[in-house]
Amino acid sequence: MPKLREILGHPFWQAVALLVAAYLLFKWGIAVLPPLVGFPSAPVPQSVVLQYMLTALVGILIYVSYNEARWRRFKEPINATLVDANKRWLRATLLVLVPALVGFVAYDQSRPKVSAPLQLRSIHPAPPGQITVRGRTIRLAGLENPLRSRGTIEEHSREGRRVYYQNCLPCHGDLLDGKGHFAHGFSPTPLAFDDAGTIAQLTESFVFWRIAKGGPGLPREGAPWNSAMPAWEDFLTEDEIWSVIIFLYEQSGWEPRRWEVEERAEGAGHE
Amino acid sequence: MPDVLALVQAAADTAAASGYGRFPGPGARVAVWIAAQVHLMFAAFVLGVPMFAVITELIGIVGKDTKYDKLSKEFTRLLVFAYSATALWGAVLVFFLTTLYPQFWNHMARIFGPSMWLYVGLFFVESFTLYLYYYGWERWNAGRAKWGHWGLGIMLNVWGTIVMFIANGWLTYMMSPPEGVTVAGLPEGMTTWNAIANATWIPINIHRMIANAVFGGAIVAAYAAYRFLAAKTDEERAHYDWMGYVGNFIAISTFIVLPFAGYYLGREIYEYNQQMGITMMGGFMSWLWIVQAVLIGVLFLAANYYLWLGMGRIPGAERFTPYTKWMLLVLIIGWIVWATPHTMIASREELMAMGGSHHPFLNVLGVMSAKNTAVNIMILTTFLSFLLYRRANKRPTVSWAKAGTMVQAAMFVLSTGVVIFYGIYGYFVAALVRIGFSVYQVGAVLACIIGVTVIDIALVRGAESRGAIQWGRMPERAQYALFVLAVTFTWLMGLMGFARSGIRQHWHVWEVMQDTSEFAATPALGYAANVISVCVLIFLGLVAFIFWLGGLAESAMAKSVAGPTAPIPATAGGE
Amino acid sequence: MWATNLKVLALALAVVGFYTVVANIIPQLESEVPEALALGDDVTPEQLVVAGERVFNGAGQCTTCHGLGTRAPNLLTAHAGEGAIGARCGDRVAGQDCKAYLYASLTDPGAFVVAGFGNIMLDVRRQLPEDQIWAIIAFLQSLGGDVTVTGADLPTEAGGAATPAAAGPARSTTTDPMALLQENACLGCHAIDGAGPPIGPSFDGIGGRISTDRIRSGILDPDAEIAGGFEQFAGMMPKQFGDQLSAAQLETLVQFLAGRR
């Protein structure tokens, strides 16, 4: 045991151990640990693991080098491997292994694969200033849901529920979780409205724009245009779209993001 | 002869016909971009370094310490060279604009004509103040004359700041022109002043003033780092080690307030035009902020790393070394949180496993609440590093030392608590309320920094020393950390320049004058990064040349002065 | 010392390179210029002004002469102390309001030549569709005046033939070469008899310099080959002469020029 303690006390092996621990944490820990305490989780994409590992590596290098004594000890085994006579075999092995590893990674990165290339879409692209829906031009900036100022919310929500179940259910699902029975056929998958990062972050006018124009109406930064969302302006009336928006917020419990109108009005007061 | 004139006229007409001139190679946009960016970097240098010079000169006068005076003069010498580089690049920019963007320039000249004359006039005054300041250094070096000399330094800053404010008026006008402006010019009843004092003018002024101080400090530190590495004697090493510390201190302490100024600027942009704000934060520029997070993470780590290494030369600092690794851990976690993308790059299989491009768990870290919390905690940690560094070799003698330290600790705990509380609470409220929370977080951090600093100044007054700082006993790694800081600050400046300019998208003047050239589309981040890198390398190359010139002048002067100058004691300076 | 210099250089390059790589591997989004407006009858005056400005500076080639130039009146800012065109257009001709005057002077420019300028302007209908002409008028009105052009002025797509313009400009049938040079504004750029601006090659001695075929192809497809020394004016010469001149007119012109040795 003292042998192990000695090894763990050595900065070089500490660094190696930390690096391995970090990799285990990022690769599997994040996917496995949160569900144990009741949070949903999933495997972390390779690109994010790489980013995290780079950060961890920088941190570990700082750790071993911010103290002069530790830095010297850290370098000892490296130095020994490079120059000591009795480490000749280790040196030779590394000399073969390291280039081989680099070569393998390069090969693995560049060899043709069956999978589709990585692509990234901006899920919330900047909306246009105005859109034309069924021949009527609508200015999006500052636009509020017109249904909120007439009739009752229950009424609109009921209407929205009908629209949702007739049109949206197959993809966005019964629980608004984006897991309808068609959902698994699509990439990108349908949005989950119960997620804190979707409609909870958006104004109603933005949601209106996305429903009315669908995948085909995504701006350039929304590319690639492989979203399966139809342009609902061809099938629904303006009021139907607005009512389904009310239903989404009522049902999911999120509040739509508001425009900063109050503050604007104040600002205008003293000008 | 008339033929030539007619040709010139005709050429001007053609440029006017399309509104744009041609530039060989990368094209007109890149030419203007590089000229503007490099000019701006030099401008930041010649505005930031005088602030530095004046402050150090004052410390020298008040503390009767010639070391500071010498430092101040060393910088002013670099300024003289840097100043002409600024002017040269400014001239390049103006010529490029007039020949490549004649219609746009025409528009600007029509609106800002008088302010341009004022600008040129002030430039003259500023240069002559600089010459007086530098060449009068030895002449007015004592008594009341010294104060007069210091006044010159103040005036140098004042002129420089006014010059910058005028230029800021032009460029903020391009972002947020006042209502009613048309391509033809200002509407009836509006003056040039209205165009200068537009919606984003004041926030840019503040932001740039602070950023200049940061930049000045960083460049000074890099200069010192280079001289440290090149030093041949222990005295030199001690001097430049100390200079590097001061530069780093100024850069980081001003840098800590910069996000607040940036926040104010962002708010004003949203206030002026929501569309512009959305483009900036959520639209095609949203990935820019991830790159920015990487850069700022590097800055925080490099600055802290420098401080921690510096504690190796302070007797008594061993007391604090056990805490360092925990601060490092906090910084790394903060950086990871801050740079976690909301929308992840993933293959199809990974997307299916995640159930969308948002990770079900890491998603929590991708939103504003988490990022604000992370960055505030990182600021607090860096501040703590500074505090420990400052305290390292001091043993307070005041009777309330223990209680004072407890109060300081309580302040840290309290502000951390506030930051984390609002960070978590932010998940449960509407977006609009959440935006307001960042003000509380920032307020708590600022209050903690101010409160702790005030207590600390009183606390260490008359403190016993545990031993003098051994200036010069600094590993070379620390100097390279200073280089990383300087390069990163420069690159960050280029990136933010792209962000500020890019949010106008295809407008020369937002919603007034459209860019109809072939370069109207705003380039992608990769392209922008390539141009930024070229700008940074040009700037750093020229700065290296200026530093080298400074060294030449110094050795020439050292030879001409008979007899050795007073050496600086290796252990000079308590702090 | 050089080792230190190299180390510092390598460090700076590595840091800059790292940031460049990071910025290059993340998704690349370019923000493109929005599509040009399709002008329908529901177009707003603001949209017309924006579109008109673009045509004025671009496809309309108006700024070739109406820019800084001395060849035509300044439209953008005050001309002869009378204010920009939008301010002065209403009282140029008695009985014609601004809109009518601008339309007339764009489609029959010879009738409204301002004193001191040559009659060199072409009927813009040869170059631009009707809706773009109205957009230009809206833009010109916006320079110091009120925009009165509306979507109703635009020709309907159904081809209602409501406007007289739908018939197109009357074609000249003259075969007098000097008249053709005048009519087609050739002399706005080419010198003849030792007088005129040097924007294009002089017509004096042109028959001696280049072949007859080259003169013909130069009229029909001006940008195919640019005369030496005139590269910076490439693209300025209108390309519609092939559609505009009759065969007899073209041949007359070509033979006339080829004869100038």
Side-chain angles (χ1 to χ4, degrees):
Chain A
M1 265 356 247
K3 177 83 177 150
L4 184 68
R5 193 170 303 151
E6 189 183 312
I7 287 178
L8 278 184
H10 194 286
F12 182 81
W13 297 110
Q14 277 178 347
V16 172
L18 278 174
L19 212 53
V20 171
Y23 185 71
L24 293 178
L25 175 70
F26 298 144
K27 187 75 188 169
W28 289 288
I30 292 178
V32 175
L33 296 180
L36 298 182
V37 284
F39 290 106
S41 192
V44 183
Q46 203 57 39
S47 66
V48 179
V49 172
L50 182 70
Q51 182 200 328
Y52 285 2
M53 281 310 289
L54 274 178
T55 316
L57 180 67
V58 170
I60 290 167
L61 283 180
I62 290 182
Y63 168 70
V64 294
S65 68
Y66 73 74
N67 180 301
E68 199 55 43
R70 193 183 295 137
W71 179 234
R72 219 174 298 120
R73 282 193 69 203
F74 173 78
K75 288 189 292 185
E76 270 166 16
I78 304 175
N79 213 26
T81 314
L82 288 177
V83 296
D84 278 10
N86 62 355
K87 296 251 175 28
R88 205 157 21 132
W89 286 109
L90 181 60
R91 188 155 57 235
T93 320
L94 282 177
L95 216 58
V96 174
L97 273 185
V98 171
L101 187 69
V102 172
F104 174 73
V105 170
Y107 166 74
D108 191 52
Q109 288 288 312
S110 56
R111 93 192 139 93
K113 294 191 185 91
V114 206
S115 61
L118 295 193
Q119 270 174 331
L120 187 117
R121 316 166 53 242
S122 174
I123 298 294
H124 299 152
Q130 54 184 33
I131 56 172
T132 309
V133 175
R134 297 190 157 201
R136 202 168 82 80
T137 303
I138 299 175
R139 210 177 148 68
L140 287 178
L143 178 66
E144 297 290 348
N145 191 335
L147 296 188
R148 290 204 186 266
S149 51
R150 74 177 126 94
T152 63
I153 292 296
E154 290 77 46
E155 213 175 280
H156 298 312
S157 182
R158 209 174 313 122
E159 167 69 0
R161 182 187 304 273
R162 178 189 68 75
V163 176
Y164 185 86
Y165 276 90
Q166 282 180 0
N167 301 283
C168 318
L169 175 78
C171 303
H172 291 285
D174 208 3
L175 302 171
L176 274 60
D177 56 0
K179 297 205 171 79
H181 40 288
F182 288 176
H184 301 284
F186 299 130
S187 173
T189 50
L191 279 199
F193 301 125
D194 57 349
D195 187 308
T198 61
I199 57 172
Q201 303 278 343
L202 302 170
T203 59
E204 286 184 296
S205 71
F206 189 101
V207 181
F208 180 83
W209 167 56
R210 290 312 324 130
I211 296 177
K213 295 294 176 185
L218 279 170
R220 176 149 167 91
E221 60 256 40
W225 297 280
N226 51 9
S227 160
M229 176 91 169
W232 288 101
E233 58 171 334
D234 299 339
F235 310 103
L236 301 175
T237 64
E238 261 181 63
D239 278 359
E240 281 176 323
I241 298 179
W242 285 120
S243 67
V244 81
I245 292 172
I246 290 189
F247 168 73
L248 290 181
Y249 282 106
E250 289 296 306
Q251 189 72 11
S252 64
W254 300 117
E255 283 280 316
R257 189 186 196 119
R258 278 172 291 144
W259 295 96
E260 300 190 27
V261 274
E262 302 91 328
E263 234 166 298
R264 272 260 170 106
E266 276 172 31
H270 53 75
E271 251 173 6
Chain B
M1 225 25 223
D3 265 13
V4 175
L5 281 179
L7 256 177
V8 170
Q9 169 70 44
D13 284 2
T14 356
S18 66
Y20 303 99
R22 290 219 184 108
F23 192 82
R29 175 178 58 189
V30 169
V32 168
W33 187 345
I34 291 181
Q37 189 60 58
V38 177
H39 170 64
L40 204 83
M41 285 167 179
F42 270 109
F45 181 76
V46 298
L47 289 173
V49 173
M51 292 188 205
F52 187 90
V54 164
I55 293 171
T56 42
E57 192 185 7
L58 180 69
I59 297 174
I61 300 175
V62 173
K64 304 210 175 357
D65 190 343
T66 50
K67 186 172 59 157
Y68 284 93
D69 197 63
K70 192 181 161 223
L71 176 67
S72 182
K73 191 180 174 197
E74 194 165 354
F75 276 103
T76 313
R77 186 174 60 231
L78 298 180
L79 263 184
V80 177
F81 301 111
Y83 205 79
S84 52
T86 316
L88 282 177
W89 281 94
V92 171
L93 174 60
V94 169
F95 287 136
F96 277 3
L97 278 176
T98 42
T99 52
L100 300 177
Y101 290 84
Q103 263 180 13
F104 163 69
W105 183 254
N106 199 4
H107 172 81
M108 294 300 276
R110 199 157 42 219
I111 290 176
F112 289 107
S115 68
M116 290 174 174
W117 307 328
L118 182 66
Y119 182 87
V120 172
L122 279 174
F123 210 79
F124 264 103
V125 177
E126 192 190 351
S127 350
F128 283 100
T129 311
L130 173 65
Y131 295 145
L132 274 181
Y133 185 58
Y134 177 62
Y135 291 102
W137 206 288
E138 300 306 328
R139 186 175 175 137
W140 301 305
N141 66 349
R144 199 172 295 162
K146 184 66 184 165
W147 284 102
H149 183 256
W150 184 70
L152 275 178
I154 291 284
M155 288 321 287
L156 180 62
N157 277 287
V158 170
W159 301 134
T161 308
I162 297 176
V163 163
M164 180 184 77
F165 281 5
I166 295 175
N168 285 352
W170 306 335
L171 68 96
T172 49
Y173 163 80
M174 290 166 67
M175 275 169 85
S176 55
E179 220 160 301
V181 177
T182 61
V183 179
L186 296 168
E188 203 65 28
M190 206 180 259
T191 60
T192 304
W193 171 249
N194 297 106
I196 289 181
N198 59 67
T200 52
W201 187 52
I202 294 289
I204 285 265
N205 284 344
I206 295 176
H207 195 278
R208 281 198 163 169
M209 213 147 66
I210 300 173
N212 287 343
V214 178
F215 193 63
I219 294 288
V220 163
Y223 172 75
Y226 182 75
R227 297 300 297 264
F228 179 94
L229 293 176
K232 295 197 174 59
T233 63
D234 281 347
E235 285 83 39
E236 269 187 77
R237 250 190 290 281
H239 177 67
Y240 288 113
D241 181 15
W242 171 77
M243 183 194 283
Y245 164 74
V246 175
N248 180 53
F249 175 80
I250 290 188
I252 298 303
S253 54
T254 39
F255 177 64
I256 284 177
V257 274
L258 200 53
F260 309 141
Y263 179 78
Y264 171 43
L265 172 61
R267 243 202 118 67
E268 286 298 316
I269 290 175
Y270 263 97
E271 199 85 338
Y272 176 75
N273 185 313
Q274 284 232 342
Q275 173 106 33
M276 201 189 240
I278 292 172
T279 306
M280 175 173 73
M281 298 310 297
F284 97 105
M285 289 236 160
S286 53
W287 278 89
L288 185 142
W289 306 104
I290 294 288
V291 179
Q292 193 217 24
V294 170
L295 266 91
I296 294 187
V298 170
L299 287 178
F300 272 119
L301 280 178
N304 278 287
Y305 184 57
Y306 180 81
L307 284 179
W308 298 334
L309 278 172
M311 285 166 90
R313 64 182 175 214
I314 309 179
E318 323 74 63
R319 289 174 294 150
F320 301 130
T321 23
Y323 307 118
T324 315
K325 55 177 173 290
W326 301 114
M327 294 200 286
L328 173 64
L329 186 67
V330 169
L331 283 178
I332 291 289
I333 293 176
W335 194 16
I336 281 186
V337 170
W338 199 20
T340 296
H342 191 203
T343 309
M344 294 177 175
I345 307 174
S347 70
R348 225 188 91 77
E349 293 72 28
E350 288 169 335
L351 285 178
M352 295 309 264
M354 287 197 294
S357 53
H358 294 175
H359 189 277
F361 181 69
L362 295 179
N363 190 18
V364 174
L365 308 180
V367 293
M368 225 42 230
S369 282
K371 294 186 192 298
N372 277 342
T373 309
V375 85
N376 279 309
I377 298 278
M378 283 168 88
I379 291 176
L380 276 178
T381 312
T382 309
F383 178 61
L384 182 63
S385 272
F386 260 118
L387 205 67
L388 295 186
Y389 183 97
R390 204 178 123 82
R391 279 283 194 86
N393 67 338
K394 297 193 175 71
R395 188 181 290 120
T397 50
V398 286
S399 56
W400 47 277
K402 194 126 201 156
T405 312
M406 293 300 275
V407 172
Q408 284 179 320
M411 280 176 164
F412 266 106
V413 171
L414 194 68
S415 65
T416 311
V418 169
V419 167
I420 292 180
F421 170 75
Y422 278 112
I424 293 174
Y425 190 38
Y427 287 100
F428 302 99
V429 295
L432 200 59
V433 184
R434 184 164 59 235
I435 293 172
F437 281 0
S438 53
V439 178
Y440 304 142
Q441 291 183 319
V442 160
V445 171
L446 268 185
C448 169
I449 290 177
I450 293 170
V452 169
T453 310
V454 168
I455 294 179
D456 209 58
I457 289 173
L459 196 74
V460 299
R461 179 161 292 161
E464 283 173 24
S465 175
R466 292 170 187 267
I469 300 179
Q470 293 155 336
W471 293 111
R473 271 196 49 201
M474 193 69 164
E476 292 198 348
R477 296 194 298 286
Q479 312 306 328
Y480 289 112
L482 292 182
F483 284 123
V484 171
L485 271 181
V487 175
T488 306
F489 270 125
T490 318
W491 211 89
L492 184 59
M493 216 156 117
L495 185 72
M496 293 297 99
F498 168 65
R500 192 194 52 69
S501 191
I503 52 171
R504 279 184 285 117
Q505 296 187 295
H506 56 279
W507 298 95
H508 288 316
V509 180
W510 177 255
E511 291 189 339
V512 170
M513 188 176 202
Q514 196 164 13
D515 186 345
T516 53
S517 72
E518 54 180 318
F519 300 115
T522 315
L525 202 46
Y527 181 89
N530 298 346
V531 180
I532 294 167
S533 294
V534 170
C535 294
V536 169
L537 291 178
I538 292 176
F539 172 74
L540 291 179
L542 286 173
V543 165
F545 178 66
I546 288 171
F547 283 176
W548 181 72
L549 280 183
L552 274 190
E554 185 175 295
S555 55
M557 257 182 269
K559 269 180 205 145
S560 66
V561 173
T565 45
I568 315 128
T571 53
E575 195 209 316
Chain C
M1 196 57 230
W2 280 108
T4 310
N5 286 343
L6 281 180
K7 266 196 233 169
V8 171
L9 180 69
L11 182 81
L13 285 178
V15 173
V16 168
F18 171 65
Y19 298 146
T20 313
V21 167
V22 169
N24 272 289
I25 55 177
I26 63 170
Q28 300 296 307
L29 308 172
E30 202 174 85
S31 161
E32 289 200 337
V33 185
E35 292 285 306
L37 280 174
L39 300 174
D41 55 3
D42 58 344
V43 70
T44 63
E46 289 84 348
Q47 287 170 325
L48 274 171
V49 171
V50 170
E53 188 188 356
R54 206 174 307 149
V55 177
F56 187 88
N57 289 317
Q61 296 188 314
C62 311
T63 48
T64 307
C65 298
H66 288 286
L68 289 174
T70 48
R71 286 194 291 281
N74 185 346
L75 300 176
L76 303 175
T77 53
H79 176 72
E82 294 170 12
I85 185 69
R88 63 181 194 253
C89 57
D91 34 56
R92 298 288 304 170
V93 176
Q96 258 181 349
D97 67 357
C98 178
K99 196 159 77 171
Y101 167 75
L102 286 176
Y103 187 80
S105 55
L106 279 161
T107 52
D108 186 12
F112 300 93
V113 177
V114 177
F117 294 100
N119 179 13
I120 58 168
M121 183 166 156
L122 296 169
D123 181 343
V124 291
R125 281 175 296 182
R126 290 172 174 182
Q127 225 171 328
L128 297 174
E130 198 74 5
D131 56 349
Q132 295 194 7
I133 295 177
W134 284 109
I136 289 188
I137 295 174
F139 166 64
L140 293 177
Q141 284 187 323
S142 75
L143 301 172
D146 297 323
V147 180
T148 55
V149 181
T150 62
D153 289 311
L154 301 182
T156 48
E157 277 179 311
T163 48
R171 278 174 180 265
S172 146
T173 53
T174 180
T175 48
D176 170 23
M178 278 315 279
L180 280 169
L181 291 179
Q182 288 288 355
E183 218 165 67
N184 291 296
C186 311
L187 304 182
C189 298
H190 298 271
I192 192 162
D193 294 330
I199 315 267
S202 166
F203 288 149
D204 294 331
I206 192 167
R209 292 199 302 273
I210 56 177
S211 72
T212 310
D213 280 351
R214 171 77 186 81
I215 293 176
R216 189 180 297 110
S217 67
I219 296 173
L220 295 174
D221 186 8
D223 288 346
E225 205 179 324
I226 304 295
F230 293 90
E231 288 84 357
Q232 77 262 42
F233 301 122
M236 268 183 79
M237 180 158 160
K239 294 161 197 65
Q240 78 275 25
F241 292 120
D243 302 327
Q244 202 171 299
L245 299 168
S246 70
Q249 286 173 327
L250 177 67
E251 274 318 300
T252 312
L253 208 50
V254 170
Q255 294 309 329
F256 170 74
L257 291 175
R260 298 189 69 87
R261 291 179 180 275

